[in-house]
Amino acid sequence: MTTDLPRGTIQFALPARARELVESVCTGTFIAGPGDAAWADSLATAEGLLCSNQIPIPAALMDAAPHLRVISGFGVGYNNVDIEVATARGIAVCNTPGVLSAAVADLTIGMIVMASRRLFANAAFVREGGWARGEAAPGLGWDLAGKTLGLIGFGRIGKAVAERARPFGLRVIYFDEFPDAGSGWDDCSACLLDELLAQSDIVSLHVNLTKATHHIISARTLALMKPTAWVINTSRGPVIDQPALAHALANGTIAGAVLDVLEDEPPAPDDPILTLPNAIVFPHIGSATVETRAAMLDLAVANFVAVMSGQRPPECVNPEVLERALQRR
């Protein structure tokens, strides 16, 4: 077995402390990503890849990286990686869940309050001079107390949202693919997806993007919702059929949407969702706090360093491959 340090490809700049950790376990090539001319050459010999979860990792890339043992992504999502191919190749795919739950849950509650009190419309009314000109203000908002919040996905982030919803007097119901997801959460009720959609005043999505969750919000499911209901999405853009949502918003099928993620990011300038007065869109800021991004970076580095040094990583999407991934090749 070779005793020299393995090679690694690192797709973003690291602070000094993190760089020292990485370079203690590998010979690192720091590179901008697929647009960099040295990207392919670097991956040809790399045993580890530390990168943003916005970088596509298809089968072809893994074919071009025959020594790859770990893909450590900066972010909780891993739909950028062909997991089946990575698992077949014995490549550990790591992500950074948990450390961003609080930030995403905080944003979700903020989005719900923004929708209920029409904060965006009222701020625009002032900023655009309507108040100063004595024009009629936007319509009244609505109280959260007594309303039903439906959570699609009741994992770490869904539970963090439920916890924050309690002081507002919201009734919380949830749909999750795992029947025991709500164990210990007796004040939150499990229900079928269609039941959740029909009952909820606010529907908030907190799922990974998988084949099962792709377009879980569609024309069919939107038609089940109350005309006064709002959709909140801080998970992944493609869990919503965006053209169907735009149509539902334009036609009053539902009252509004607050979105931190879109099917295509960044969106085209003429994307219909950007022009609708009842759609509020943010540029994917769910984890965008100084503290959360630092914690995400620390975890992504810890995952990378662990596998590269033959140790079990703190987080791994496909742990069944670890026995193979921890061995040099």
Side-chain angles (χ1 to χ4, degrees):
M1 177 181 291
T2 182
T3 58
D4 60 324
L5 285 177
R7 294 184 179 275
T9 298
I10 298 89
Q11 180 256 322
F12 44 75
L14 297 174
R17 174 177 53 85
R19 183 165 182 144
E20 287 175 9
L21 277 174
V22 166
E23 292 183 333
S24 71
V25 299
C26 75
T27 301
T29 300
F30 291 80
I31 203 160
D36 192 306
W39 175 251
D41 289 343
S42 174
L43 286 175
T45 58
E47 293 184 41
L49 172 60
L50 176 59
C51 64
S52 163
N53 67 347
Q54 303 301 305
I55 299 292
I57 312 291
L61 184 146
M62 287 180 270
D63 289 341
H67 305 285
L68 204 58
R69 298 188 288 117
V70 59
I71 299 167
S72 182
F74 181 89
V76 68
Y78 50 86
N79 53 286
N80 61 309
V81 182
D82 189 323
I83 296 292
E84 291 183 4
V85 171
T87 299
R89 285 180 165 275
I91 301 170
V93 178
C94 301
N95 63 340
T96 62
V99 295
L100 49 66
S101 297
V104 177
D106 288 349
L107 178 64
T108 301
I109 293 296
M111 293 161 80
I112 292 170
V113 173
M114 174 174 286
S116 70
R117 296 303 302 272
R118 306 200 64 182
L119 297 184
F120 191 84
N122 277 284
F125 171 67
V126 175
R127 183 178 60 252
E128 294 166 8
W131 192 22
R133 292 190 296 269
E135 297 174 0
L140 299 177
W142 38 276
D143 289 338
L144 293 177
K147 299 298 192 299
T148 297
L149 169 61
L151 301 175
I152 299 179
F154 204 59
R156 279 179 279 203
I157 295 175
K159 289 182 173 71
V161 172
E163 184 177 24
R164 286 157 174 75
R166 286 169 174 156
F168 290 92
L170 284 159
R171 168 184 176 242
V172 177
I173 60 177
Y174 66 89
F175 166 78
D176 195 277
E177 62 178 313
F178 298 104
D180 61 348
S183 177
W185 291 74
D186 295 339
D187 60 337
C188 302
S189 301
C191 60
L192 298 176
L193 177 61
D194 287 4
E195 294 173 350
L196 179 146
L197 294 167
Q199 294 180 38
S200 297
D201 299 292
I202 307 131
V203 172
S204 188
L205 291 122
H206 303 285
V207 291
N208 289 317
L209 178 58
T210 66
K211 291 179 181 177
T213 61
H214 182 263
H215 286 185
I216 195 169
I217 297 298
S218 63
R220 185 195 75 81
T221 52
L222 285 162
L224 299 175
M225 295 175 62
K226 299 177 181 180
T228 55
W230 281 71
V231 169
I232 309 291
N233 191 13
T234 56
S235 58
R236 285 290 178 268
V239 302
I240 295 179
D241 180 337
Q242 195 166 300
L245 175 62
H247 185 267
L249 292 169
N251 288 277
T253 303
I254 64 171
V258 190
L259 310 171
D260 188 43
V261 288
L262 297 175
E263 285 212 69
D264 295 310
E265 297 179 1
D270 59 350
D271 191 317
I273 204 76
L274 304 180
T275 66
L276 294 167
N278 53 349
I280 303 169
V281 181
F282 296 108
H284 207 147
I285 59 170
S287 65
T289 71
V290 172
E291 297 86 352
T292 297
R293 290 287 173 85
M296 290 169 63
L297 179 62
D298 287 346
L299 183 51
V301 169
N303 289 330
F304 179 85
V305 168
V307 177
M308 292 292 274
S309 58
Q311 306 296 317
R312 291 184 68 89
E315 298 288 347
C316 184
V317 173
N318 54 346
E320 65 271 24
V321 308
L322 285 175
E323 185 175 350
R324 296 166 61 194
L326 299 183
Q327 303 298 316
R328 297 286 303 274
R329 55 185 72 160

